[in-house]
Amino acid sequence: MIMTIGIKSASDVRSLKQCVPVTFNYDVHFTKGLFELDNPLLAQVLITDDEDSPKKLLTVIDAGLLQHQPTLLDKLAAYAEFYQNVFRLVKYPAIVPGGEAAKNDSKLVEQIHQIIDCSGLCRHSYVLAIGGGAVLDMAGYAAATAHRGIRLIRVPTTVLAQNDSGIGVKNGINAFGKKNFLGTFAPPYAVLNDFDFLTTLDDRDWRSGIAEAVKVALIKDADFFKFITIHAVKIAQRDMQAMQELIYRCAQLHLKHIATSGDPFEKGSSRPLDFGHWAAHKLEQLTNYSLRHGEAVAIGIALDSTYSYLIGLLAKSDWQQILDTLKALGFSLYVPELVTQLHQPEHPDCIFRGLREFQEHLGGELTLMLLETIGKGVEVHHVDLSAYEKAIALLKEQTN
Amino acid sequence: MIMTIGIKSASDVRSLKQCVPVTFNYDVHFTKGLFELDNPLLAQVLITDDEDSPKKLLTVIDAGLLQHQPTLLDKLAAYAEFYQNVFRLVKYPAIVPGGEAAKNDSKLVEQIHQIIDCSGLCRHSYVLAIGGGAVLDMAGYAAATAHRGIRLIRVPTTVLAQNDSGIGVKNGINAFGKKNFLGTFAPPYAVLNDFDFLTTLDDRDWRSGIAEAVKVALIKDADFFKFITIHAVKIAQRDMQAMQELIYRCAQLHLKHIATSGDPFEKGSSRPLDFGHWAAHKLEQLTNYSLRHGEAVAIGIALDSTYSYLIGLLAKSDWQQILDTLKALGFSLYVPELVTQLHQPEHPDCIFRGLREFQEHLGGELTLMLLETIGKGVEVHHVDLSAYEKAIALLKEQTN
């Protein structure tokens, strides 16, 4: 006998509710001398899968890094030789341009797909991506889309990538002139942070990544902000031990946020970690990317902190401390692009146009993070442009 | 004071463990007359997001379907007009080839990306994909990779897509001559199964999707298999009510498996739903895809059931009932390609080569699903080729 499912009219609907829980686990390791033969970390990470060895591993390497680390390929080869029972390198590494160029050429993703195909990598093989955030983003996108996801091990080599972009769950490349137009949410298999890579960074790259630490400290952790304030001068002077601690604590806060925010794959309209970022994204564009991301974020933090103070949300002493810390770290808090076309908020060159672009990027209503005290952010959905104009004027005064 | 993190030597490692829980929810609705004005289902699904209306919606439509449903575009336009407060259609739908052609041309994905860009779709917009499994797979891949994931609503129009491929968490296209080489795991926003689409299927497509129902019944649900056996002749004769029940129960079992298997994104080596599929994939290839997927799956089910009987796992009466049911449904259980180069298991044209290919696709050790009774599968890691040869001979006899 047929159990009729009783569809009688167009509006008579039967439904099945589906709920798919997925848990992504990955470790973020902090080490030095990652490819020294007496450092078994990478080999240990590779055998945690309990599968047959040797595993296949394809390296994708930032060409900019190779200039500073000319022996890296030889070291990798020696490491692979030493641990040959654990893994085998795909014959040739994929050496790709560093910086935003890695994300602007979709041919690079195709090339990595081709190597994955020719080398017979499967879903149980590994891509080891070594470089700055842009290279990790591009290699991550290639790995995530081949065979519906080859395991990605990230080796971030900049401050920014080690404490923020390289430890998260996103990848992407640019297309149609838009940042990260193509990409997926795909947690890595593991992240290996080697502090030795930081020694060859130039001063701007060293400093730039610190801005994300200031950001996450301000909205989440007053103690961490205190740490940054106390050690600001030392960090600016490239004290390695202070920087290691900064990266570790910043990574810890970012990871905790991703794990506990309730929306790791950003289905909603809120981006609670993006304090100071609406202005930062716009300033990067207005300066034709002559500002590094972190330099722009520092200005964005200064701007939104000042605005928070001016509308009565943040105490004056907190505001002053934030600006002092940013200055002690060596950041500039003002660029002339802040006042271009200031009184025409919809003009493409006006900083305030960044508010709408920020909103459109995620969809839904405008959602900005402001500060109510050091260590605690608060979301708002409306802004007062005249107060923002005063904030910009105050920043200009501060830096005179 | 700096809290040193104490990295003293290369092997001195500090680690952070990350655990990201993500829950994907989606409903699978069963209806008729999906685009009739008095059927509010689609409009209702679109407003469940509690966000501003009207929403932007891009349709991707199977060109093969349009041949059988020439008024579909007009109906869609009228539906959109009627529910204009809820959603607006992107001006032109993307009309794409149906069947495997949809997955063989990577330009189609790029075209959809272009439309998404030009139309200003964001992560809160919708792609409505209407068609067979291949079109849904391709459109799903395009949607999943734009802006790191635009919401995908699938409207599967074949038996196979409504009870199996269209309700799951995968997408993909072919590349480098390999099926699904590019793709991601990305659950849909919703699935809308409209039974009216089934009336225009030809007999082979009507029958083909039934094989996946037989498969999931055999390994998971003896009662469902009984239902199929009792109604086999009716279903083969295109009884719509019996087919609706078959699709609903098959979808229910597939959804439950995905939700509770513990490995919805297939990180391991096991594919417990792929009963009969190692031979099916190989037979599709050996027959140059003149066999439909479901027709090949029926033969694969017959083969692995017969093998299960011959090695003493499955009772003779169960085995006979399985073969009888498949025959009553109108499936052929034998093709000459089963014996091509039979005694050279590594020959590319030998069916047994399919075992290795099946293993390589997922990586890890060989894992096959066999039957220990109707309604209960069991995994094995070794096979006896001589018993498989006898199974093939038995199938040939059966069909004489």
Side-chain angles (χ1 to χ4, degrees):
Chain A
M1 211 192 58
I2 295 174
M3 289 177 290
T4 165
I5 68 169
I7 287 177
K8 288 158 204 148
S9 74
S11 57
D12 192 359
V13 173
R14 204 179 179 189
S15 304
L16 291 167
K17 292 211 167 295
Q18 175 72 327
C19 173
V20 184
V22 186
T23 301
F24 301 93
N25 290 291
Y26 59 97
D27 293 347
V28 179
H29 301 285
F30 300 82
T31 190
K32 288 183 175 187
L34 179 63
F35 300 119
E36 300 297 330
L37 299 188
D38 62 353
N39 189 337
L41 178 62
L42 173 58
Q44 283 167 349
V45 165
L46 289 169
I47 57 172
T48 54
D49 64 13
D50 279 336
E51 291 161 11
D52 290 346
S53 294
K55 293 99 176 34
K56 287 182 181 173
L57 187 143
L58 167 65
T59 49
V60 179
I61 305 180
D62 190 321
L65 178 70
L66 281 184
Q67 288 179 346
H68 296 289
Q69 311 254 344
T71 62
L72 182 62
L73 291 180
D74 292 338
K75 276 181 143 175
L76 257 169
Y79 192 88
E81 169 96 16
F82 192 76
Y83 291 100
Q84 59 180 289
N85 293 331
V86 176
F87 76 100
R88 302 283 164 90
L89 288 177
V90 168
K91 196 167 179 190
Y92 298 107
I95 297 170
V96 299
E100 212 60 17
K103 299 178 70 164
N104 279 330
D105 181 0
S106 64
K107 287 265 182 309
L108 295 172
V109 171
E110 283 170 37
Q111 270 172 30
I112 295 175
H113 284 157
Q114 256 161 16
I115 299 174
I116 287 169
D117 173 50
C118 297
S119 318
L121 300 193
C122 74
R123 212 179 281 169
H124 295 226
S125 308
Y126 295 82
V127 169
L128 183 77
I130 308 171
V135 167
L136 303 183
D137 275 0
M138 184 278 291
Y141 181 55
T145 47
H147 293 304
R148 297 201 183 100
I150 290 184
R151 294 166 181 171
L152 173 72
I153 298 178
R154 298 198 196 111
V155 181
T157 58
T158 65
V159 174
L160 187 66
Q162 291 194 354
N163 70 12
D164 182 355
S165 65
I167 60 170
V169 296
K170 302 190 223 177
N171 59 51
I173 61 171
N174 309 328
F176 310 111
K178 291 182 177 147
K179 251 190 103 88
N180 297 320
F181 183 87
L182 298 177
T184 70
F185 290 94
Y189 189 82
V191 181
L192 311 179
N193 275 337
D194 179 350
F195 291 130
D196 286 344
F197 283 118
L198 306 181
T199 56
T200 58
L201 293 177
D202 69 29
D203 284 344
R204 285 184 71 188
D205 283 328
W206 171 276
R207 182 180 298 111
S208 185
I210 302 168
E212 300 288 356
V214 174
K215 171 207 74 178
V216 75
L218 282 175
I219 56 177
K220 299 245 178 206
D221 187 339
D223 275 351
F224 182 37
F225 186 76
K226 200 168 175 184
F227 169 86
I228 298 174
T229 298
I230 293 171
H231 299 97
V233 174
K234 248 186 176 171
I235 293 168
Q237 289 169 348
R238 303 194 66 139
D239 180 287
M240 186 53 99
Q241 214 161 33
M243 181 56 108
Q244 288 176 19
E245 183 66 16
L246 176 130
I247 288 174
Y248 182 85
R249 292 180 71 167
C250 182
Q252 196 169 31
L253 285 169
H254 275 117
L255 289 170
K256 188 176 165 200
H257 173 77
I258 293 166
T260 61
S261 68
D263 187 22
F265 285 9
E266 296 174 14
K267 292 166 195 160
S269 294
S270 169
R271 279 268 278 271
L273 271 188
D274 276 359
F275 177 55
H277 274 58
W278 71 269
H281 289 311
K282 189 67 189 170
L283 283 177
E284 282 180 84
Q285 183 206 328
L286 291 179
T287 60
N288 277 319
Y289 295 88
S290 70
L291 275 185
R292 306 269 156 103
H293 178 67
E295 293 166 341
V297 168
I299 297 172
I301 290 170
L303 180 62
D304 283 358
S305 300
T306 306
Y307 177 80
S308 300
Y309 154 60
L310 286 176
I311 62 169
L313 205 58
L314 184 72
K316 184 168 187 178
S317 57
D318 278 4
W319 166 64
Q320 197 58 56
Q321 200 190 333
I322 295 167
L323 265 49
D324 288 348
T325 298
L326 287 170
K327 283 189 269 187
L329 287 165
F331 287 111
S332 302
L333 305 187
Y334 182 83
V335 284
E337 283 79 2
L338 280 168
V339 294
T340 313
Q341 305 290 348
L342 189 61
H343 302 296
Q344 298 182 58
E346 287 302 311
H347 192 287
D349 294 343
C350 174
I351 184 75
F352 295 140
R353 172 76 172 246
L355 287 164
R356 184 149 70 87
E357 291 169 3
F358 189 69
Q359 176 184 3
E360 282 177 355
H361 179 66
L362 278 175
E365 70 176 330
L366 177 67
T367 305
L368 282 194
M369 179 64 82
L370 295 178
L371 282 189
E372 71 183 36
T373 180
I374 285 176
K376 188 156 190 298
V378 59
E379 285 190 337
V380 301
H381 302 290
H382 298 282
V383 296
D384 170 358
L385 291 191
S386 66
Y388 260 120
E389 286 183 25
K390 280 183 206 139
I392 292 170
L394 259 182
L395 282 188
K396 191 174 180 187
E397 276 175 33
Q398 282 278 330
T399 51
N400 281 341
Chain B
M1 211 191 62
I2 296 176
M3 289 176 291
T4 166
I5 68 171
I7 288 178
K8 289 159 203 147
S9 74
S11 58
D12 192 2
V13 173
R14 201 178 180 189
S15 305
L16 292 167
K17 292 210 167 295
Q18 175 73 330
C19 174
V20 184
V22 185
T23 302
F24 301 93
N25 289 290
Y26 60 97
D27 293 346
V28 178
H29 301 285
F30 299 83
T31 190
K32 289 183 172 185
L34 179 63
F35 300 119
E36 300 297 332
L37 299 187
D38 62 353
N39 189 336
L41 178 61
L42 172 59
Q44 283 167 349
V45 165
L46 288 168
I47 57 174
T48 54
D49 65 13
D50 279 336
E51 291 161 11
D52 291 345
S53 294
K55 293 97 175 39
K56 287 182 181 174
L57 186 144
L58 167 65
T59 48
V60 180
I61 305 181
D62 190 321
L65 178 70
L66 281 184
Q67 288 178 346
H68 296 289
Q69 311 253 346
T71 62
L72 182 62
L73 292 180
D74 292 339
K75 275 179 142 175
L76 257 169
Y79 192 90
E81 169 94 16
F82 191 77
Y83 291 100
Q84 61 179 287
N85 293 331
V86 176
F87 76 101
R88 302 283 164 89
L89 288 177
V90 167
K91 196 167 178 190
Y92 297 107
I95 298 170
V96 299
E100 212 60 17
K103 299 177 72 166
N104 278 330
D105 180 1
S106 65
K107 287 265 182 310
L108 295 173
V109 171
E110 282 171 38
Q111 270 172 31
I112 294 175
H113 284 156
Q114 255 161 17
I115 300 174
I116 288 170
D117 174 51
C118 296
S119 317
L121 300 193
C122 74
R123 211 179 281 169
H124 294 227
S125 308
Y126 296 83
V127 169
L128 182 78
I130 308 172
V135 167
L136 302 183
D137 276 359
M138 183 279 289
Y141 181 54
T145 47
H147 293 304
R148 297 200 183 102
I150 290 184
R151 295 166 180 171
L152 174 72
I153 299 178
R154 298 198 197 112
V155 180
T157 58
T158 64
V159 175
L160 187 67
Q162 291 194 354
N163 70 13
D164 182 354
S165 65
I167 61 170
V169 297
K170 303 189 222 178
N171 59 51
I173 61 171
N174 309 329
F176 309 111
K178 292 183 175 145
K179 251 188 102 90
N180 297 320
F181 183 87
L182 298 177
T184 71
F185 290 94
Y189 189 81
V191 181
L192 311 179
N193 276 335
D194 179 350
F195 291 130
D196 285 345
F197 282 118
L198 307 181
T199 56
T200 58
L201 292 177
D202 70 29
D203 285 344
R204 285 184 70 188
D205 282 329
W206 172 277
R207 182 178 299 111
S208 184
I210 302 168
E212 300 290 355
V214 174
K215 172 208 73 179
V216 75
L218 283 174
I219 56 178
K220 298 246 177 204
D221 187 339
D223 275 350
F224 183 37
F225 186 74
K226 200 168 176 184
F227 169 86
I228 299 173
T229 297
I230 292 171
H231 299 96
V233 174
K234 246 184 175 172
I235 294 169
Q237 289 169 348
R238 304 192 67 139
D239 180 287
M240 186 53 101
Q241 214 162 32
M243 180 58 107
Q244 288 177 20
E245 182 65 16
L246 176 130
I247 288 174
Y248 182 85
R249 291 180 70 168
C250 181
Q252 196 169 29
L253 286 169
H254 275 117
L255 289 170
K256 189 177 164 198
H257 173 78
I258 293 167
T260 61
S261 69
D263 187 22
F265 285 8
E266 296 175 13
K267 291 167 195 161
S269 294
S270 169
R271 279 271 277 273
L273 272 188
D274 275 0
F275 176 56
H277 274 58
W278 72 270
H281 289 311
K282 189 67 188 171
L283 284 177
E284 283 180 83
Q285 183 207 328
L286 291 179
T287 60
N288 277 319
Y289 294 88
S290 69
L291 275 184
R292 306 270 155 103
H293 178 66
E295 293 167 340
V297 168
I299 296 171
I301 290 171
L303 180 62
D304 283 358
S305 299
T306 306
Y307 177 79
S308 298
Y309 154 59
L310 287 176
I311 63 168
L313 205 57
L314 184 71
K316 185 168 186 179
S317 57
D318 278 4
W319 166 63
Q320 197 58 56
Q321 200 191 333
I322 295 168
L323 264 51
D324 288 347
T325 299
L326 288 170
K327 283 189 270 187
L329 288 165
F331 286 112
S332 303
L333 304 187
Y334 181 83
V335 284
E337 283 79 3
L338 280 168
V339 293
T340 314
Q341 305 289 348
L342 189 61
H343 302 295
Q344 297 183 58
E346 287 302 313
H347 192 287
D349 293 343
C350 175
I351 184 75
F352 295 140
R353 171 75 173 247
L355 288 164
R356 184 148 71 87
E357 290 169 4
F358 189 69
Q359 177 184 2
E360 281 177 355
H361 179 66
L362 278 174
E365 70 177 329
L366 177 67
T367 306
L368 283 194
M369 179 63 81
L370 295 178
L371 284 190
E372 70 182 36
T373 179
I374 286 175
K376 189 157 190 298
V378 58
E379 285 190 337
V380 301
H381 302 290
H382 297 283
V383 295
D384 171 357
L385 290 192
S386 67
Y388 259 121
E389 287 183 24
K390 279 181 204 138
I392 291 171
L394 260 182
L395 282 187
K396 191 174 180 187
E397 275 174 33
Q398 281 278 328
T399 52
N400 281 340

